[in-house]
Amino acid sequence: MTATPSPVTALIADDEEAPRAQLRAALLRCWPGVQIVAEAANGVDAWDAYLEHEPQVCLLDIRMPGLSGIDVARRIDGRAPVVFVSAYGDHALQAFDAGAVDYVLKPVEDSRLAQAIERIRPRLGAAAPPDLQALLSQIGQQLRAPARPSVIQAGVGKEVRLIPVEQIVYCESDARYTRVVYEEGGASAEALIRTPLKELLAQLDPQAFWQVHRSVIVNHRHIASAVRVDEGSMVLSLRGRTERLPVSRHFQGLFRGQ
């Protein structure tokens, strides 16, 4: 007896409720049996939902608060095909002519979405195009980058402590707070902030601060080595520190020997 194939899973993200609902309805019409496992109203939640659900395909609005659709796609890094959704006349669309990624315009038309679906079907589970990151970087340069904070404000008792970003060693989700571990005057210190880790991630420079786990961001200057514990587990050791930080499967590709 032939086993019934599992449904394709999808994530959709748009910061406006009406277009998101319209996209959801169009996707369900054009791709019978698709399972929408998550919806997000901003890029921060979209990336967090991707890590939680690991959808096989993602439909992302290009311009969203926190992280743009381009930012989210760069983090997905080809592990799932992405279809971008954009308003008519968005100048960022000019870069899509290379064909490595697909897009549909708002309001989404069934015929155009169906074409995009047919193009991405063969890419489900396949390797990403080799030039994908370069193309996404090119598109991302056309979007206005958010200002990066130079300090993080943390309440410590009655004091509001200003922590220079360059002094941060790593940040870790801690129940309802984010634990910020940093160095001050040669000594280790830490503070709890109310900003969720996923929102802090969107504020920090991704070139300097690497997400290595859904609950951990680390300043790459403080990484001494990555150690593979077994086939599926990896931990980081830090320079001059005893902590070991977990690296989840999604991020182990950051650490490859030359």
Side-chain angles (χ1 to χ4, degrees):
M1 187 174 181
T2 304
T4 303
S6 300
V8 172
T9 56
L11 160 70
I12 62 176
D14 194 304
D15 61 329
E16 296 182 79
E17 185 174 353
R20 190 168 67 251
Q22 197 257 344
L23 176 60
R24 180 198 316 119
L27 180 60
L28 292 174
R29 286 193 301 269
C30 295
W31 202 334
V34 71
Q35 182 181 357
I36 300 174
V37 293
E39 297 185 25
N42 57 67
V44 171
D45 287 343
W47 172 233
D48 194 55
Y50 175 81
L51 292 177
E52 179 179 357
H53 298 283
E54 300 186 25
Q56 294 167 277
V57 62
C58 302
L59 293 90
L60 308 174
D61 187 13
I62 289 182
R63 299 180 185 272
M64 294 186 288
L67 295 172
S68 70
I70 305 299
D71 294 329
V72 177
R74 295 182 72 178
R75 285 166 166 79
I76 292 172
D77 195 22
R79 288 171 289 195
V82 170
V83 175
F84 291 106
V85 184
S86 181
Y88 176 78
D90 192 327
H91 64 276
L93 297 179
Q94 297 171 4
F96 289 126
D97 292 337
V101 291
D102 255 303
Y103 71 90
V104 294
L105 295 176
K106 302 178 187 179
V108 175
E109 296 181 355
D110 286 11
S111 59
R112 180 66 184 89
L113 180 58
Q115 290 176 7
I117 290 170
E118 288 307 307
R119 276 197 287 268
I120 65 174
R121 279 183 190 270
R123 300 208 299 267
L124 293 175
D131 59 346
L132 178 61
Q133 279 292 349
L135 177 60
L136 292 175
S137 178
Q138 176 188 350
I139 300 168
Q141 289 173 7
Q142 299 184 45
L143 304 179
R144 181 175 297 177
R148 306 290 183 192
S150 59
V151 297
I152 299 296
Q153 298 190 27
V156 181
K158 296 183 179 180
E159 176 186 10
V160 176
R161 189 167 298 170
L162 302 183
I163 304 170
V165 167
E166 66 269 16
Q167 293 181 5
I168 296 175
V169 179
Y170 66 91
C171 303
E172 182 178 35
S173 290
D174 186 0
R176 294 179 300 169
Y177 300 91
T178 297
R179 178 171 167 253
V180 179
V181 178
Y182 61 102
E183 293 185 344
E184 185 175 45
S188 180
E190 62 179 72
L192 296 177
I193 63 174
R194 295 184 180 276
T195 304
L197 186 78
K198 62 183 182 180
E199 294 182 13
L200 186 61
L201 172 69
Q203 299 174 24
L204 298 175
D205 181 357
Q207 300 301 315
F209 290 88
W210 294 0
Q211 184 173 20
V212 296
H213 191 279
R214 191 180 177 201
S215 62
V216 180
I217 304 170
V218 61
N219 186 333
H220 77 91
R221 295 187 300 106
H222 291 274
I223 299 173
S225 65
V227 180
R228 188 171 295 282
V229 179
D230 53 41
E231 186 175 345
S233 301
M234 179 182 286
V235 295
L236 297 182
S237 61
L238 303 178
R239 301 183 189 279
R241 305 183 67 93
T242 59
E243 298 102 313
R244 296 293 182 267
L245 302 180
V247 182
S248 68
R249 176 174 50 85
H250 279 293
F251 303 104
Q252 290 179 13
L254 290 170
F255 306 97
R256 297 188 179 97
Q258 299 296 316

